[in-house]
Amino acid sequence: MDHFNFINGHLHVEQVDVSAIVEQHGSPVYLYSAQTLKNHYAVLQNAFSALAPLICFSVKSCSNLSVLKLLVDQGSGLDVVSGGELYRALMAGVTADKIVFAGVGKSHEEISYAVDVGVFLFNVESEAELLRLDAVASAAGKRVKVAIRVNPDVVDAGTHEKTATGGRQTKFGIPIERAYELFTPKRYASVDVVGIHIHLGSPIPSAHTYLSALDKIEEMVNRLQAADCPIEFINIGGGFPAQYSTESNPVCSLTETGSHICGRLQELKRLGLRFIIEPGRSISANAGVLLTTVEYIKQGWDRKIAIVDAGMNVLLRPTLYGANHVIWPTRFGDFSGHWTALSESVREAGAAPLEEVDIVGPICETGDHFALGRPLPVLEDASLLAIFSCGAYGMSMASQYNSRGRPPEVLVEGAHAKLIRRRETHDDLIAHERCGLENT
């Protein structure tokens, strides 16, 4: 998080003091660093440069239009999993020939929409989906290209069970041995099956997991080519890790992972195959923070409880996945620097005392918490806290549970902070329900 710095003890995003953003837009609020997004995209691009892949950022990880447009302006394509995400992608300015449409349950309407706008590639997850896509494309008088998502039965022990998608017990993909017959040339009237797609889950902390899956994909390519089935694309998905802990380095750096994967795929590149990757959290996670304010401090049975104004409706990951985010007051101490300095301060906190505290939200659920028994400096009512690494699967998973409006989003670039989504109002909460009260 190179662009999240403590300057004279005050947290800044790039050149902006976060307290100024809260004063203007209230709390809770999501903040993103434009430069971090750009830098992370460039790092990933460099890590996989030996393959020159089409990079399609995963819209589901951070779907704000302004964030998507920023990445599109850097040259990114977009990976979408619904008709709504396809609409967002087009509104963000990406061209259809840089959109890959994935997802296990595409409806007839979504497929028709994607065929109509001419997306670059469909990642297909079942035989039934192929038949539906073929019928829709035929009715529209168009030909479409498809990559078959295969399930390689490869699972990483470091990936949460709810986000591991490469094993045989998940709903994703087609078992490899069942998939071969789908590549038969001219099997479908309007569909060309020309690609293989895998996605093993997220995050995948070990490059070895990718390599184990690619062993099976290489064998598959060889068998298909021997049977005169043309293969043009290998889509290796995403799931590349981000840094959530206070350690100075991620478990497996993106550069190392990219080097291993590129080395393994060089032979397929020499055969003329092209490549696609679909990163999400590796670009956006550490580009965002959630700011939240302490409403109350109370004494529990065993330790203090800090009740903040953000809840699981704003950031679901700790409740859903047991995710562990760094949390720290936005004004504390006199240290400066960036992520490493923050890490050292979390561990040592200078001469200030730490106390274990539960950081919980206002939602009427026991699971509504961000950290339990977390050592933090002594907090007070109105203390402003930063929850780090929230740029992926934060706002995109937010809800209106307990009839709480979703927070605003702000994009910071240099000394400029731009509102990119306004805070939802009470009227927003019921806007789609007014129809039920009309003429009654």
Side-chain angles (χ1 to χ4, degrees), residues 246-316:
T246 57
E247 298 301 318
S248 58
N249 292 300
V251 176
C252 179
S253 77
L254 190 56
T255 300
E256 292 172 347
T257 299
S259 176
H260 287 303
I261 292 174
C262 290
R264 178 60 59 85
L265 292 175
Q266 282 306 303
E267 182 59 33
L268 294 184
K269 182 182 180 184
R270 283 191 285 270
L271 293 175
L273 273 69
R274 291 181 284 169
F275 303 94
I276 302 168
I277 56 176
E278 301 163 349
R281 75 178 71 232
S282 58
I283 291 176
S284 63
N286 286 323
V289 298
L290 172 63
L291 300 181
T292 183
T293 301
V294 175
E295 294 280 11
Y296 302 102
I297 301 286
K298 71 177 185 179
Q299 182 64 50
W301 280 94
D302 301 313
R303 55 182 174 255
K304 286 185 178 179
I305 300 171
I307 304 164
V308 299
D309 59 5
M312 59 186 279
N313 65 308
V314 175
L315 178 63
L316 185 60

Side-chain angles (χ1 to χ4, degrees), residues 350-427:
L354 298 183
E355 62 178 2
E356 289 191 353
V357 60
D358 294 348
I359 307 297
V360 307
I363 301 297
C364 295
E365 299 281 351
T366 303
D368 179 32
H369 55 74
F370 299 122
L372 300 177
R374 180 70 61 86
L376 286 172
V378 176
L379 302 178
E380 300 175 349
D381 294 354
S383 292
L384 183 62
L385 302 179
I387 305 178
F388 291 84
S389 306
C390 289
Y393 305 103
M395 186 61 180
S396 63
M397 296 178 74
S399 74
Q400 297 175 334
Y401 186 44
N402 280 191
S403 287
R404 292 181 174 272
R406 284 169 288 197
E409 295 175 283
V410 174
L411 181 65
V412 177
E413 188 158 15
H416 178 65
K418 176 183 178 183
L419 182 68
I420 58 175
R421 179 189 173 108
R422 64 170 174 81
R423 186 181 303 278
E424 290 180 340
T425 65
H426 288 170
D427 193 59

Side-chain angles (χ1 to χ4, degrees), residues 111 115 131-144 189-191:
I111 289 174
V115 168
L131 292 172
R132 177 180 288 182
L133 177 57
D134 189 40
V136 171
S138 294
K142 295 186 177 183
R143 296 199 69 80
V144 297
S190 299
V191 168

Side-chain angles (χ1 to χ4, degrees), residues 173-192:
I174 301 171
I176 286 182
E177 291 304 319
R178 289 183 56 85
Y180 278 100
E181 63 184 65
L182 305 180
F183 288 84
T184 304
K186 300 182 180 179
R187 180 184 177 94
Y188 302 97
S190 299
V191 168
D192 297 319

Side-chain angles (χ1 to χ4, degrees), residues 63-185:
S63 59
N64 185 282
L65 285 178
S66 295
V67 171
L68 298 180
K69 184 179 185 305
L70 182 150
L71 292 171
V72 168
D73 289 345
Q74 303 307 301
S76 182
L78 296 176
D79 162 60
V80 304
V81 296
S82 71
E85 287 193 351
L86 175 55
Y87 182 77
R88 281 182 176 275
L90 294 171
M91 291 301 100
V94 74
T95 55
D97 61 356
K98 296 182 76 173
I99 296 176
V100 173
F101 194 2
V104 72
K106 305 178 189 73
S107 69
H108 188 282
E109 291 75 17
E110 288 174 321
I111 289 174
S112 296
Y113 180 27
V115 168
D116 182 57
V117 302
V119 300
F120 174 63
L121 189 72
F122 288 84
N123 291 335
V124 167
E125 301 242 7
S126 68
E127 297 94 325
E129 184 187 335
L130 262 177
L131 292 172
R132 177 180 288 182
L133 177 57
D134 189 40
V136 171
S138 294
K142 295 186 177 183
R143 296 199 69 80
V144 297
K145 289 188 175 184
V146 160
I148 300 296
R149 180 173 182 175
V150 300
N151 186 315
D153 193 22
V154 171
V155 178
D156 192 294
T159 302
H160 195 282
E161 62 179 5
K162 292 184 179 180
T163 58
T165 61
R168 65 173 56 201
Q169 302 303 324
T170 74
K171 67 181 180 180
F172 297 99
I174 301 171
I176 286 182
E177 291 304 319
R178 289 183 56 85
Y180 278 100
E181 63 184 65
L182 305 180
F183 288 84
T184 304

